[in-house]
Amino acid sequence: GHTTGETTYDQWSTRVDHQFGQNDSFFSRYSDARNDVSSASYVNLPSIAVQRFTNVEASDTHTFSQTFLMTARFGWQRIGWTAATTGPDVALKAGTTAAFPIKFSGVNIIPPIYISGGYPGMSQGGSYYGPENLLDWALDVQKIKGRHTIAFGGWYLRDHYVTDNLTGTSESFTAVPTAGLTTGTGDALASYLTGLPSASGRVIGSTEGDMITNLYSVYGQDS
């Protein structure tokens, strides 16, 4: 078959540094990247994958005195990845929704259909990994007192991740359902046209994931 594909990659970043008076040194940065990949291979339906990555960081160092300073930092990272076998809404025209009424993210989907004997099958799929949002805050304090340099601080991270992947649903057609008593009779395509699969399966229930993780850490040091 003939295959065509296209990849588009965009990335940009900006940063700001500023001194607030004599006591505050501040900086902030924003970065963004997007990667789109599409391909089409006859006779299969086209596939599209979209990836996007966003990163934000901000930090401020405050000087209370020559021997006492504090740095506060904030970070945000967002990751999103969507992959789909798309194309025209052919599920209704193909008649698969009567037996497998599947929707994924609001789109009618044709489950994987395998036809043995060298015939091309049909399949539409979908998945998304994210958005995943990671938020973190950090605080570092340093105090010099006599011969001691005392440092302490803490860090907190919150990770929120959602995902889903169309999986576990399929139909397989072989020559067996249309075969007669004579060896070598029957045809997998005839079995498909008469709606007689040799095997089928589907996942019952939700496969969605919505997960939250919280991480904490603290430290103290005296040099």
Side-chain angles (χ1 to χ4, degrees):
H2 181 67
T3 302
T4 61
E6 181 179 280
T7 300
T8 304
Y9 190 78
D10 297 310
Q11 179 178 344
W12 63 277
S13 181
T14 183
R15 171 171 172 151
V16 174
D17 292 83
H18 188 71
Q19 183 75 31
F20 291 97
Q22 297 295 319
N23 298 326
D24 285 279
S25 299
F26 173 84
F27 92 88
S28 179
R29 176 181 53 78
Y30 182 96
S31 302
D32 197 281
R34 183 182 177 97
N35 186 16
D36 296 347
V37 180
S38 63
S39 64
S41 176
Y42 183 79
V43 292
N44 297 319
L45 292 170
S47 63
I48 297 175
V50 178
Q51 303 174 24
R52 186 170 182 182
F53 310 93
T54 304
N55 184 272
V56 175
E57 184 178 0
S59 174
D60 182 69
T61 299
H62 180 76
T63 303
F64 295 96
S65 68
Q66 292 182 347
T67 60
F68 185 25
L69 60 88
M70 178 182 69
T71 300
R73 298 190 303 274
F74 167 76
W76 170 50
Q77 181 168 292
R78 179 183 174 91
I79 302 171
W81 185 357
T82 303
T85 304
T86 60
D89 189 356
V90 297
L92 289 174
K93 295 180 181 179
T96 60
T97 56
F100 285 88
I102 300 173
K103 276 185 176 286
F104 186 82
S105 296
V107 178
N108 289 315
I109 296 294
I110 297 178
I113 296 175
Y114 307 104
I115 306 174
S116 63
Y119 294 105
M122 291 187 294
S123 177
Q124 285 185 291
S127 61
Y128 58 84
Y129 308 99
E132 180 178 15
N133 286 283
L134 296 95
L135 298 168
D136 69 89
W137 294 262
L139 183 68
D140 299 290
V141 180
Q142 188 177 75
K143 171 67 177 177
I144 300 174
K145 187 173 181 63
R147 295 183 298 175
H148 294 270
T149 300
I150 301 170
F152 61 90
W155 172 76
Y156 166 62
L157 172 72
R158 176 183 173 87
D159 183 5
H160 185 194
Y161 177 52
V162 295
T163 182
D164 197 6
N165 189 5
L166 186 68
T167 182
T169 302
S170 64
E171 288 183 295
S172 298
F173 294 88
T174 67
V176 174
T178 51
L181 298 177
T182 305
T183 302
T185 58
D187 189 271
L189 183 60
S191 300
Y192 166 72
L193 293 175
T194 54
L196 298 173
S198 295
S200 64
R202 80 168 83 188
V203 170
I204 301 299
S206 175
T207 58
E208 294 178 288
D210 189 344
M211 297 162 280
I212 295 177
T213 302
N214 294 292
L215 301 174
Y216 310 84
S217 68
V218 294
Y219 74 93
Q221 177 179 307
D222 181 10
S223 301

